[in-house]
Amino acid sequence: MKNVFVLILLLISFSSCDKKTILLPEVQNAKISEVIDVSPAYIFYDITKPDSTDFNRRNLIGTTNWLVNVDKRLTLKQAIPHIQFLEDKRRNAKMHKNENARNYFTCNDTARNNLGFIDFTDVVYSFKIIDSLSEEYSISTVISFSKNLITVNDDLIELKQLSALEGNLTLNFSSSLTFEEYIAYKSSLLKIDSPNITIMNHEFIY
């Protein structure tokens, strides 16, 4: 664990005049353990700010892969607007654009005692809730995640049962979830290895 926090502090020290700490969300055995050609953005937890966030994106380079470091204590309501801003910046870039560049959340991989990464380049976030009766998503299985509670089309389900589902999965996440809780759910979903499941890239925050 010590090596991880040293790495985090070094990243922040080199990228900002102000030395700040950030608590990264924890995962185990992340599928992605190395990303090259990167530049960082930071979403700090700062209770002195109106929304408790301090957003530092000064060191982003448009042609690189972006490592987005989000403090695990922030809620989705606090963090997602900044993430949406970064996604719009990437997608709407006119000059100095690299079509192969990706966006990653940086995590603390406790199993490897190192950093791990979750690719979210193709995820589109919207602040609303979708249910199984919505015409656009009527062919999807709608899964809603809140604190210690998962429902599938309004029926309670356990996390381990998700791999038994089939078809297109549309995801709702409570805006009160911490980023740590969100990443825990995302990490579990990414580990589902089933040819019968397609996880839709449009995620809804309610």
Side-chain angles (χ1 to χ4, degrees), residues 23-47:
L23 300 181
L24 293 177
E26 296 183 350
V27 296
Q28 289 191 333
N29 296 307
K31 287 188 174 183
I32 303 171
S33 58
E34 183 180 9
V35 182
I36 61 174
D37 189 20
V38 302
S39 56
Y42 300 96
I43 307 176
F44 295 98
Y45 177 71
D46 186 344
I47 59 173

Short mmCIF file of all heavy atoms in Angstrom, two decimals, residues 23-47:
data_model
loop_
_atom_site.label_atom_id
_atom_site.label_comp_id
_atom_site.label_asym_id
_atom_site.label_seq_id
_atom_site.Cartn_x
_atom_site.Cartn_y
_atom_site.Cartn_z
N LEU A 23 -7.42 10.41 -2.24
CA LEU A 23 -7.67 9.02 -1.89
C LEU A 23 -8.35 8.34 -3.08
O LEU A 23 -9.49 8.66 -3.41
CB LEU A 23 -8.56 8.93 -0.65
CG LEU A 23 -8.01 9.57 0.63
CD1 LEU A 23 -9.00 9.38 1.78
CD2 LEU A 23 -6.66 8.97 1.00
N LEU A 24 -7.65 7.43 -3.72
CA LEU A 24 -8.18 6.76 -4.89
C LEU A 24 -9.10 5.62 -4.50
O LEU A 24 -8.90 4.97 -3.47
CB LEU A 24 -7.04 6.21 -5.75
CG LEU A 24 -6.14 7.23 -6.42
CD1 LEU A 24 -5.03 6.52 -7.18
CD2 LEU A 24 -6.93 8.13 -7.36
N PRO A 25 -10.12 5.33 -5.33
CA PRO A 25 -10.97 4.17 -5.07
C PRO A 25 -10.16 2.88 -5.19
O PRO A 25 -9.17 2.82 -5.94
CB PRO A 25 -12.04 4.25 -6.16
CG PRO A 25 -11.42 5.08 -7.23
CD PRO A 25 -10.52 6.05 -6.54
N GLU A 26 -10.57 1.86 -4.45
CA GLU A 26 -9.82 0.60 -4.43
C GLU A 26 -10.49 -0.47 -5.28
O GLU A 26 -11.72 -0.59 -5.30
CB GLU A 26 -9.67 0.11 -2.99
CG GLU A 26 -8.84 1.05 -2.12
CD GLU A 26 -8.65 0.52 -0.72
OE1 GLU A 26 -9.30 -0.48 -0.36
OE2 GLU A 26 -7.84 1.11 0.02
N VAL A 27 -9.67 -1.23 -5.99
CA VAL A 27 -10.13 -2.37 -6.76
C VAL A 27 -9.19 -3.54 -6.49
O VAL A 27 -8.13 -3.37 -5.88
CB VAL A 27 -10.16 -2.09 -8.28
CG1 VAL A 27 -11.15 -0.98 -8.60
CG2 VAL A 27 -8.77 -1.72 -8.80
N GLN A 28 -9.57 -4.72 -6.95
CA GLN A 28 -8.70 -5.88 -6.87
C GLN A 28 -8.54 -6.48 -8.26
O GLN A 28 -9.52 -6.75 -8.95
CB GLN A 28 -9.27 -6.94 -5.92
CG GLN A 28 -9.20 -6.54 -4.45
CD GLN A 28 -9.51 -7.71 -3.54
OE1 GLN A 28 -10.24 -8.62 -3.91
NE2 GLN A 28 -8.97 -7.67 -2.34
N ASN A 29 -7.28 -6.67 -8.66
CA ASN A 29 -6.96 -7.29 -9.95
C ASN A 29 -7.63 -6.57 -11.13
O ASN A 29 -8.40 -7.16 -11.89
CB ASN A 29 -7.35 -8.78 -9.94
CG ASN A 29 -6.55 -9.58 -8.93
OD1 ASN A 29 -5.32 -9.53 -8.94
ND2 ASN A 29 -7.24 -10.30 -8.06
N ALA A 30 -7.34 -5.29 -11.24
CA ALA A 30 -7.86 -4.52 -12.37
C ALA A 30 -7.39 -5.13 -13.68
O ALA A 30 -6.25 -5.60 -13.79
CB ALA A 30 -7.40 -3.07 -12.27
N LYS A 31 -8.25 -5.14 -14.69
CA LYS A 31 -7.88 -5.71 -15.99
C LYS A 31 -6.76 -4.92 -16.66
O LYS A 31 -5.98 -5.46 -17.43
CB LYS A 31 -9.11 -5.77 -16.90
CG LYS A 31 -10.11 -6.84 -16.52
CD LYS A 31 -11.19 -6.98 -17.58
CE LYS A 31 -12.12 -8.15 -17.27
NZ LYS A 31 -13.15 -8.36 -18.32
N ILE A 32 -6.72 -3.62 -16.38
CA ILE A 32 -5.69 -2.76 -16.97
C ILE A 32 -4.74 -2.32 -15.86
O ILE A 32 -5.15 -1.69 -14.89
CB ILE A 32 -6.31 -1.54 -17.66
CG1 ILE A 32 -7.32 -1.99 -18.72
CG2 ILE A 32 -5.21 -0.68 -18.31
CD1 ILE A 32 -8.13 -0.85 -19.31
N SER A 33 -3.47 -2.67 -15.99
CA SER A 33 -2.50 -2.35 -14.94
C SER A 33 -1.41 -1.40 -15.42
O SER A 33 -0.56 -0.98 -14.62
CB SER A 33 -1.85 -3.64 -14.41
OG SER A 33 -1.22 -4.35 -15.46
N GLU A 34 -1.42 -1.05 -16.69
CA GLU A 34 -0.41 -0.13 -17.21
C GLU A 34 -0.99 0.68 -18.36
O GLU A 34 -1.66 0.14 -19.24
CB GLU A 34 0.82 -0.90 -17.69
CG GLU A 34 1.93 -0.01 -18.19
CD GLU A 34 3.15 -0.79 -18.67
OE1 GLU A 34 3.06 -2.03 -18.76
OE2 GLU A 34 4.19 -0.15 -18.95
N VAL A 35 -0.74 1.98 -18.34
CA VAL A 35 -1.14 2.88 -19.42
C VAL A 35 0.05 3.78 -19.71
O VAL A 35 0.64 4.35 -18.79
CB VAL A 35 -2.36 3.73 -19.04
CG1 VAL A 35 -2.76 4.63 -20.21
CG2 VAL A 35 -3.54 2.86 -18.63
N ILE A 36 0.42 3.90 -20.98
CA ILE A 36 1.55 4.75 -21.34
C ILE A 36 1.06 5.99 -22.09
O ILE A 36 -0.09 6.04 -22.52
CB ILE A 36 2.58 3.98 -22.20
CG1 ILE A 36 1.94 3.49 -23.50
CG2 ILE A 36 3.16 2.82 -21.41
CD1 ILE A 36 2.94 2.85 -24.46
N ASP A 37 1.96 6.96 -22.22
CA ASP A 37 1.66 8.22 -22.92
C ASP A 37 0.43 8.88 -22.29
O ASP A 37 -0.63 8.96 -22.88
CB ASP A 37 1.43 7.98 -24.41
CG ASP A 37 1.33 9.27 -25.21
OD1 ASP A 37 1.81 10.31 -24.71
OD2 ASP A 37 0.75 9.25 -26.31
N VAL A 38 0.59 9.37 -21.08
CA VAL A 38 -0.55 9.85 -20.29
C VAL A 38 -0.36 11.29 -19.85
O VAL A 38 0.75 11.82 -19.81
CB VAL A 38 -0.76 8.97 -19.04
CG1 VAL A 38 -0.99 7.52 -19.44
CG2 VAL A 38 0.42 9.08 -18.07
N SER A 39 -1.49 11.92 -19.50
CA SER A 39 -1.50 13.18 -18.77
C SER A 39 -2.66 13.12 -17.78
O SER A 39 -3.67 12.46 -18.04
CB SER A 39 -1.61 14.39 -19.70
OG SER A 39 -2.74 14.30 -20.53
N PRO A 40 -2.53 13.77 -16.61
CA PRO A 40 -3.49 13.59 -15.53
C PRO A 40 -4.46 14.75 -15.33
O PRO A 40 -4.18 15.91 -15.64
CB PRO A 40 -2.59 13.47 -14.30
CG PRO A 40 -1.47 14.43 -14.61
CD PRO A 40 -1.27 14.39 -16.11
N ALA A 41 -5.62 14.40 -14.80
CA ALA A 41 -6.57 15.38 -14.26
C ALA A 41 -6.93 14.91 -12.86
O ALA A 41 -6.90 13.70 -12.57
CB ALA A 41 -7.82 15.47 -15.12
N TYR A 42 -7.26 15.84 -11.98
CA TYR A 42 -7.56 15.49 -10.59
C TYR A 42 -8.86 16.13 -10.15
O TYR A 42 -9.12 17.31 -10.42
CB TYR A 42 -6.43 15.98 -9.66
CG TYR A 42 -5.08 15.38 -9.98
CD1 TYR A 42 -4.18 16.08 -10.77
CD2 TYR A 42 -4.73 14.12 -9.51
CE1 TYR A 42 -2.95 15.54 -11.09
CE2 TYR A 42 -3.49 13.57 -9.82
CZ TYR A 42 -2.61 14.28 -10.60
OH TYR A 42 -1.39 13.73 -10.92
N ILE A 43 -9.69 15.35 -9.48
CA ILE A 43 -10.90 15.87 -8.85
C ILE A 43 -10.73 15.60 -7.36
O ILE A 43 -10.96 14.49 -6.87
CB ILE A 43 -12.16 15.22 -9.42
CG1 ILE A 43 -12.19 15.34 -10.94
CG2 ILE A 43 -13.40 15.87 -8.81
CD1 ILE A 43 -13.36 14.64 -11.60
N PHE A 44 -10.29 16.62 -6.64
CA PHE A 44 -10.00 16.50 -5.22
C PHE A 44 -11.25 16.67 -4.37
O PHE A 44 -12.21 17.36 -4.77
CB PHE A 44 -8.99 17.58 -4.79
CG PHE A 44 -7.64 17.45 -5.40
CD1 PHE A 44 -7.29 18.22 -6.51
CD2 PHE A 44 -6.69 16.60 -4.86
CE1 PHE A 44 -6.03 18.13 -7.08
CE2 PHE A 44 -5.43 16.49 -5.42
CZ PHE A 44 -5.10 17.26 -6.54
N TYR A 45 -11.22 16.09 -3.19
CA TYR A 45 -12.23 16.34 -2.17
C TYR A 45 -11.74 17.52 -1.34
O TYR A 45 -10.68 17.46 -0.71
CB TYR A 45 -12.40 15.10 -1.30
CG TYR A 45 -13.38 15.28 -0.15
CD1 TYR A 45 -14.75 15.38 -0.38
CD2 TYR A 45 -12.93 15.32 1.17
CE1 TYR A 45 -15.65 15.53 0.65
CE2 TYR A 45 -13.83 15.47 2.22
CZ TYR A 45 -15.17 15.58 1.96
OH TYR A 45 -16.06 15.73 2.99
N ASP A 46 -12.49 18.62 -1.36
CA ASP A 46 -12.07 19.84 -0.67
C ASP A 46 -13.30 20.49 -0.05
O ASP A 46 -14.10 21.13 -0.75
CB ASP A 46 -11.39 20.79 -1.65
CG ASP A 46 -10.79 22.02 -0.97
OD1 ASP A 46 -11.14 22.29 0.20
OD2 ASP A 46 -9.97 22.71 -1.61
N ILE A 47 -13.45 20.34 1.25
CA ILE A 47 -14.65 20.82 1.93
C ILE A 47 -14.72 22.35 1.98
O ILE A 47 -15.75 22.91 2.35
CB ILE A 47 -14.77 20.26 3.35
CG1 ILE A 47 -13.54 20.65 4.19
CG2 ILE A 47 -14.94 18.75 3.32
CD1 ILE A 47 -13.67 20.25 5.66
#
